[in-house]
Amino acid sequence: MSEPNKYIEDLLSQMTLEEKIDMIHGSAFFHTKGVERLGIPPLMTSDGPMGVRADFEDDRWVNIGTSDDYVTYMPCNSAVASTWNTELAYAFGDVLGEETRGRGKDMILAPGINIKRSPLCGRNFEYMSEDPYLIAEMAAPLIRGIQKHDVSACVKHFACNAQETERLWVDTEVDERTLQEIYYPGFKAALDKGNSYAIMGAYNLLNGEHCCTSKKLMNQVVRGEWNYDGAIVSDWGGVHDTVLAAESEMDLEMDVRPDFEEYFMASPLL
């Protein structure tokens, strides 16, 4: 066993069940709870794809408004992809990663690489393209640029997130060939070539399963077929069942609600 893994196993052996559960769900809108007595800090996250988002209060969607919020206003992912310039994608990630670390964050919730299917999708500005090859070529260097600054990228939203109407409950039905040829390649490249430390599930259902806790997507594809050992994070409010969450390969539940101990991976899991 490697030294880092020995260290991790030693920490785990000292943790209570309550402390372990506290680390796998949000304890504020954008961070988890650490274990202070063992020197484990909270995981600090931030949106987003166009620059590090302003900080909010822990339990209210109120902008704190401190001067350290000042960061570069980055172009949207669509604009970056439209350049077809992989060096520029890396430079974009370089700035985003540096400013994420400068703001004291551990994870930036970017890039967004869902396939664009409809001009009515409210999150199209977050996404790169309708072309899976272009997405794969641009996402990997962008992620490498972010992560050179000791910051985790979190590529999103896996998978088939293409509309805002009923976004938590729409069931997207896609056949296997289309998934393999259109919807998966960008994400696979982000993990394999970009080495993204994290991947985020989508709000929607895919063929009857909510993506964030989908055994097909997370257990079979991401962990099994792609042999990915990084973090799987829910979208904010993308989890709907404690048992399904516990049985899936998802690692961290985040949400938009301030009742943090009532998240599905919090007190109900305990």
Side-chain angles (χ1 to χ4, degrees):
M1 185 182 294
S2 68
E3 285 301 318
N5 283 340
K6 287 179 182 178
Y7 179 61
I8 291 167
E9 291 296 330
D10 180 57
L11 285 175
L12 285 171
S13 70
Q14 300 178 59
M15 291 172 63
T16 66
L17 179 60
E18 289 80 2
E19 287 171 335
K20 292 174 182 177
I21 287 178
D22 279 343
M23 290 186 67
I24 60 173
H25 68 86
S27 65
F29 286 143
F30 283 99
H31 67 77
T32 63
K33 185 182 290 185
V35 185
E36 187 174 358
R37 70 181 185 88
L38 296 176
I40 303 174
L43 177 73
M44 309 297 292
T45 74
S46 178
D47 279 330
M50 295 173 63
V52 190
R53 191 174 186 178
D55 278 332
F56 292 90
E57 295 182 14
D58 282 351
D59 58 356
R60 294 198 305 159
W61 291 97
V62 175
N63 189 331
I64 295 173
T66 53
S67 59
D68 66 354
D69 283 343
Y70 298 160
V71 293
T72 306
Y73 200 130
M74 307 294 285
C76 66
N77 282 193
S78 304
V80 176
S82 296
T83 67
W84 293 66
N85 186 328
T86 55
E87 292 182 1
L88 188 64
Y90 179 85
F92 177 103
D94 191 6
V95 172
L96 189 56
E98 182 179 27
E99 295 189 348
T100 301
R101 175 48 64 206
R103 286 275 305 283
K105 311 303 180 185
D106 305 302
M107 177 183 290
I108 188 74
L109 308 176
I113 65 169
N114 284 86
I115 294 291
K116 299 186 187 212
R117 294 290 298 184
S118 165
L120 301 180
C121 177
R123 306 181 87 171
N124 273 345
F125 75 97
E126 289 190 70
Y127 301 149
M128 285 189 170
S129 175
E130 74 286 356
D131 182 342
Y133 180 77
L134 176 60
I135 292 170
E137 290 296 304
M138 297 293 284
L142 195 155
I143 289 167
R144 290 196 295 269
I146 290 172
Q147 295 187 163
K148 69 176 281 190
H149 295 283
D150 188 34
V151 168
S152 171
C154 186
V155 63
K156 62 187 188 181
H157 308 87
F158 192 58
C160 305
N161 180 249
Q163 71 178 59
E164 284 295 274
T165 304
E166 291 292 323
R167 68 179 184 172
L168 296 177
W169 300 104
V170 61
D171 189 0
T172 309
E173 298 179 0
V174 187
D175 65 86
E176 188 63 26
R177 177 175 178 177
T178 305
L179 289 172
Q180 295 288 347
E181 294 183 358
I182 304 296
Y183 290 97
Y184 287 173
F187 285 97
K188 191 171 190 305
L191 304 187
D192 288 350
K193 298 179 181 179
N195 190 32
S196 182
Y197 298 155
I199 182 172
M200 184 187 295
Y203 277 134
N204 53 285
L205 294 90
L206 176 62
N207 297 328
E209 288 187 307
H210 269 107
C211 292
C212 290
T213 53
S214 167
K215 291 182 180 178
K216 165 66 186 292
L217 282 179
M218 302 309 180
N219 298 26
Q220 179 182 324
V221 176
V222 175
R223 293 292 192 218
E225 296 173 12
W226 296 353
N227 196 32
Y228 180 65
D229 66 353
I232 298 175
V233 181
S234 81
D235 203 346
W236 270 231
V239 178
H240 304 277
D241 184 273
T242 297
V243 173
L244 292 178
E247 292 179 346
S248 78
E249 287 288 339
M250 186 193 68
D251 296 299
L252 175 61
E253 178 194 5
M254 301 299 287
D255 209 318
V256 297
R257 298 176 291 119
D259 53 342
F260 306 111
E261 289 305 314
E262 297 309 312
Y263 286 12
F264 294 96
M265 296 280 277
S267 293
L269 179 62
L270 181 63

